[in-house]
Amino acid sequence: MKTKIITEIEQSMLKHLDNAQLEELHRVLEHVLSGVTISKSTENTEEASNEDVLNDFIAAKKIEGCSDKSLKYYRKTITVALNSVGKEIKHITTDDLRSYLTKYQEEKKSSKVTMDNIRRILSSFFSWLEDEDYIIKSPVRRIHKVKTSKTIKETYTDENLELMRDSCVELRDLAMIDMLASTGMRVGEMVLLNREDINFNERECVVLGKGDKERIVYFDARTKLHLQNYLDARTDDNPALFVSLRAPHNRLTIGAIELRVRNLGKSLGIHKAHPHKFRRTLATVAIDKGMPIEQLQRLLGHQRIDTTLQYAMVKQSNVKLAHRKYIG
């Protein structure tokens, strides 16, 4: 109890005293309270629990437009950390969180990317608490970004794409492959599309991206033809753009498309076939052919340009040619 009171006093004085003054304050408080017995008051001085505070944070993030998937990840990550530390939020220190992160990595054998994601989420949580004046200073401030090695993620080759197209038995699968490859949309965006969303004259459609933000994506002439052939062959009245092959022809889910692409890639010997790989491939090709990064950012629906740059992998051969053109 005594330590708790000293900590609260020191936190309240953080913005008023420098380090030397804080050390002196700590020494004085320890000395003055050394012979004092402090008991907990029986008065009803209820304070918001960790769970209540976390609920407020999640509600705030929801208002900001975070997806349900992100909110679920935030809640789980923060809950595990708080339970592991085992303290009220106001009394959690930088050392507590450093110890937690170290122990977590040792036990789970987590990658640096995973550890930095956890650090980033905790930083967002405690920064919000600081902004809301629930705490004086975020304990994550002094926990720096985890340095991660940049790995070049695979993209589909032209041969991969043609192989997948040629191997599609169903008109639907061919239309799906082309739609993903030519628009670069997220698979989660594609499953939400309805037939009426497609503008065949302009070869474009409006998708609902992360944070419920709408944007226009575009498809090529080949995709237009294959999509029209697929829709003309359908006999159901489901408004969804892509549906199951068997009755009652329900709207396809993300998992169903992922499974379809994975199985197609496996049968063709294509390594790590996944819907998201089409998006990364489009970004790489666009950058490689000289599309301005700002336009690609808008096309992919990224809020931060740093995210767009992570998707784009410029071919080394073109770097060599560019060096000869501009420098050598």
Side-chain angles (χ1 to χ4, degrees), residues 166-227:
D166 291 342
S167 300
C168 287
V169 177
E170 303 292 342
L171 290 175
R172 182 204 65 181
D173 293 349
L174 181 57
M176 282 195 317
I177 294 294
D178 279 334
M179 198 69 171
L180 288 168
S182 65
T183 63
M185 70 172 67
R186 301 176 179 94
V187 65
E189 295 167 345
M190 191 170 77
V191 297
L192 296 176
L193 286 174
N194 292 324
R195 303 191 210 197
E196 62 181 18
D197 295 328
I198 307 300
N199 184 334
F200 284 106
N201 291 329
E202 298 297 328
R203 299 210 307 258
E204 66 183 35
C205 60
V206 177
V207 297
L208 189 65
K210 288 185 176 181
D212 292 335
K213 293 178 182 177
E214 291 186 344
R215 75 177 189 285
I216 300 175
V217 297
Y218 308 93
F219 50 88
D220 56 23
R222 173 165 50 183
T223 303
K224 174 183 175 179
L225 293 174
H226 291 161
L227 197 54

Side-chain angles (χ1 to χ4, degrees), residues 68-204:
D68 290 339
K69 184 178 179 180
S70 294
L71 294 175
K72 186 177 179 181
Y73 183 47
Y74 277 22
R75 182 182 291 279
K76 181 181 177 181
T77 302
I78 297 168
T79 299
V80 170
L82 294 179
N83 289 343
S84 178
V85 172
K87 288 184 177 181
E88 291 181 11
I89 287 171
K90 281 187 176 182
H91 303 291
I92 292 177
T93 66
T94 300
D95 287 340
D96 291 330
L97 295 177
R98 281 199 180 119
S99 297
Y100 163 70
L101 291 171
T102 301
K103 184 179 178 182
Y104 186 97
Q105 187 172 35
E106 289 175 351
E107 292 180 352
K108 305 289 185 180
K109 308 298 180 186
S110 300
S111 67
K112 290 182 178 179
V113 173
T114 298
M115 296 311 302
D116 194 57
N117 283 338
I118 296 173
R119 181 207 60 83
R120 178 175 50 80
I121 289 172
L122 292 175
S123 177
S124 176
F125 176 55
F126 282 99
S127 293
W128 178 82
L129 292 173
E130 184 180 329
D131 291 340
E132 294 292 314
D133 294 327
Y134 188 81
I135 59 175
I136 302 298
K137 183 179 179 182
S138 167
V140 192
R141 277 194 187 187
R142 292 188 286 122
I143 301 177
H144 302 299
K145 186 180 186 300
V146 180
K147 291 183 179 179
T148 57
S149 56
K150 293 183 179 180
T151 56
I152 297 176
K153 295 185 178 180
E154 293 182 19
T155 58
Y156 292 118
T157 63
D158 292 340
E159 290 81 3
N160 289 157
L161 294 175
E162 289 307 317
L163 270 174
M164 283 191 278
R165 291 188 179 103
D166 291 342
S167 300
C168 287
V169 177
E170 303 292 342
L171 290 175
R172 182 204 65 181
D173 293 349
L174 181 57
M176 282 195 317
I177 294 294
D178 279 334
M179 198 69 171
L180 288 168
S182 65
T183 63
M185 70 172 67
R186 301 176 179 94
V187 65
E189 295 167 345
M190 191 170 77
V191 297
L192 296 176
L193 286 174
N194 292 324
R195 303 191 210 197
E196 62 181 18
D197 295 328
I198 307 300
N199 184 334
F200 284 106
N201 291 329
E202 298 297 328
R203 299 210 307 258
E204 66 183 35

